[in-house]
Amino acid sequence: MNTVPEPILRFAPSPNGLLHLGHAYSALYTADWAEKLNGRFLLRLEDTDPDRCRPEFIEAIIEDLHWLGLDWPEPVLQQSERFDVYEKQKLTLIEHGLLYPCFCSRAQIAAIAVNTDPDGAPIYPGTCRHLTDTEISHRIGKGEPVQWRLDTAEATRRTGMLTYTVLQPTPLDRPQIRYARPERWGDPVIARKGTATSYHLSVVVDDAAQGITHVTRGRDMEAATDIHILLQFLLGLPAPLYTFHKLILDEDGKKLSKSRQSLALRNMREAGWTPEAIRTRLGF
Ligand code: GLU
């Protein structure tokens, strides 16, 4: 007999700063969907970047979310404790000939790149795609830092065209099937220099590990879903359903990340905002 899996949703911030109003919207949106679907709401900490993530931001995130009235089951998955899991998946992709080592610096890439990806970053021109084994061993032997890139052309040749399902914010609208277009990212980094992983690898591995059925994220992150759908397929992981929510903008119509301070939840709290007033301001 087929059983429908319990809906499981997650809010997955990176603890590299204070939560702002945009995060509050995303967290409340996710919790709201979880409630409507009669499912579970999880918190996940995406802290694989040791240069930017700090323990005090983790404490602040937990405190701010509780203040907003949100709760979640323990233990909270913390990605920095799972590098061994990501390493295994990275090795699987390497063994299948889907990743290649790249030694280029950002500046080198920026100097010769011609096109940009959906985030506006230079598309990798493929300099290291065809290095010989001898050259690779020589450069690794010399201690050159290495990152691992997805060979997107080879990966999509194997998978063929992939699609994903997007649920609309109102239940009366039909779900949409969209094509994943990973080629518009060039060969993205799957394991950054000095670590076993990247945002893209950890997010698909953990969505599967936690049985996430619905990924709720801002519209600004829809394009990255191209890479996630491809990685899920290559690693044999299930693809969740997706929904992309509106972004909360500042007075100048810009995304909130740049104006974290004025609209950081704790600064708003100190300025006298209540959780109820924040919910109302965000339309919940
Ligand atoms: N950790 C990501 C961020 O803070 C979001 C993760 C996701 O929704 O895929 O931007």
Side-chain angles (χ1 to χ4, degrees):
M1 197 177 74
N2 279 340
T3 49
V4 178
E6 180 197 8
I8 306 180
L9 292 82
R10 84 313 193 265
F11 175 58
S14 299
N16 53 18
L18 293 173
L19 293 186
H20 55 58
L21 207 53
H23 293 112
Y25 184 79
S26 198
L28 290 168
Y29 181 93
T30 306
D32 208 46
W33 267 71
E35 203 180 309
K36 279 192 198 128
L37 295 168
N38 210 3
R40 256 191 294 161
F41 169 81
L42 307 183
L43 172 67
R44 176 164 80 220
L45 296 163
E46 302 210 327
D47 59 343
T48 60
D49 185 346
D51 295 336
R52 301 180 61 216
C53 296
R54 299 218 299 265
E56 58 269 32
F57 291 133
I58 295 183
E59 274 172 41
I61 285 172
I62 291 175
E63 198 189 299
D64 289 350
L65 292 176
H66 279 149
W67 174 73
L68 269 184
L70 296 173
D71 222 337
W72 50 85
E74 298 286 341
V76 169
L77 186 151
Q78 199 168 329
Q79 291 191 324
S80 58
E81 290 167 1
R82 290 169 50 79
F83 284 111
D84 53 334
V85 179
Y86 310 135
E87 174 73 18
K88 268 195 207 134
Q89 299 288 27
K90 179 187 94 175
L91 290 177
T92 304
L93 293 170
I94 294 174
E95 276 157 24
H96 285 86
L98 292 162
L99 302 187
Y100 63 88
C102 164
F103 301 91
C104 297
S105 67
R106 261 173 222 234
Q108 282 169 329
I109 297 168
I112 51 170
V114 181
N115 296 314
T116 50
D117 69 20
D119 281 350
I123 289 192
Y124 184 60
T127 321
C128 291
R129 198 182 293 127
H130 301 295
L131 293 180
T132 61
D133 287 349
T134 324
E135 188 162 2
I136 292 169
S137 325
H138 178 69
R139 294 179 75 166
I140 291 178
K142 271 198 317 187
E144 269 192 60
V146 57
Q147 60 201 335
W148 292 86
R149 287 183 182 273
L150 185 66
D151 185 341
T152 302
E154 176 57 21
T156 51
R157 193 186 64 73
R158 293 193 205 174
T159 61
M161 191 67 101
L162 297 174
T163 59
Y164 58 100
T165 305
V166 180
L167 301 183
Q168 303 304 307
T170 49
L172 289 180
D173 292 331
R174 279 172 185 277
Q176 288 182 357
I177 306 295
R178 296 202 186 144
Y179 285 109
R181 292 187 287 147
E183 60 289 343
R184 58 186 170 152
W185 292 93
D187 290 348
V189 171
I190 299 302
R192 292 187 310 264
K193 288 179 182 168
T195 148
T197 192
S198 63
Y199 158 62
H200 300 305
L201 181 60
S202 298
V203 86
V204 299
V205 168
D206 288 342
D207 282 338
Q210 295 191 290
I212 301 300
T213 53
H214 297 67
V215 168
T216 46
R217 55 166 71 124
R219 277 183 203 147
D220 56 332
M221 291 177 59
E222 171 164 8
T225 310
D226 294 332
I227 304 168
H228 303 170
I229 297 297
L230 182 57
L231 286 175
Q232 283 154 2
F233 195 93
L234 296 170
L235 292 168
L237 305 173
L241 301 168
Y242 288 86
T243 172
F244 303 103
H245 60 69
K246 69 171 184 186
L247 300 178
I248 303 297
L249 305 176
D250 65 15
E251 307 77 43
D252 305 325
K254 296 219 183 68
K255 248 176 46 180
L256 278 191
S257 47
K258 300 279 175 324
S259 44
R260 263 174 190 233
Q261 286 314 312
S262 63
L263 292 173
L265 290 180
R266 56 190 43 208
N267 294 343
M268 293 180 78
R269 172 161 36 147
E270 272 161 30
W273 284 77
T274 61
E276 294 69 34
I278 293 210
R279 280 175 183 262
T280 308
R281 154 84 166 79
L282 293 173
F284 290 98

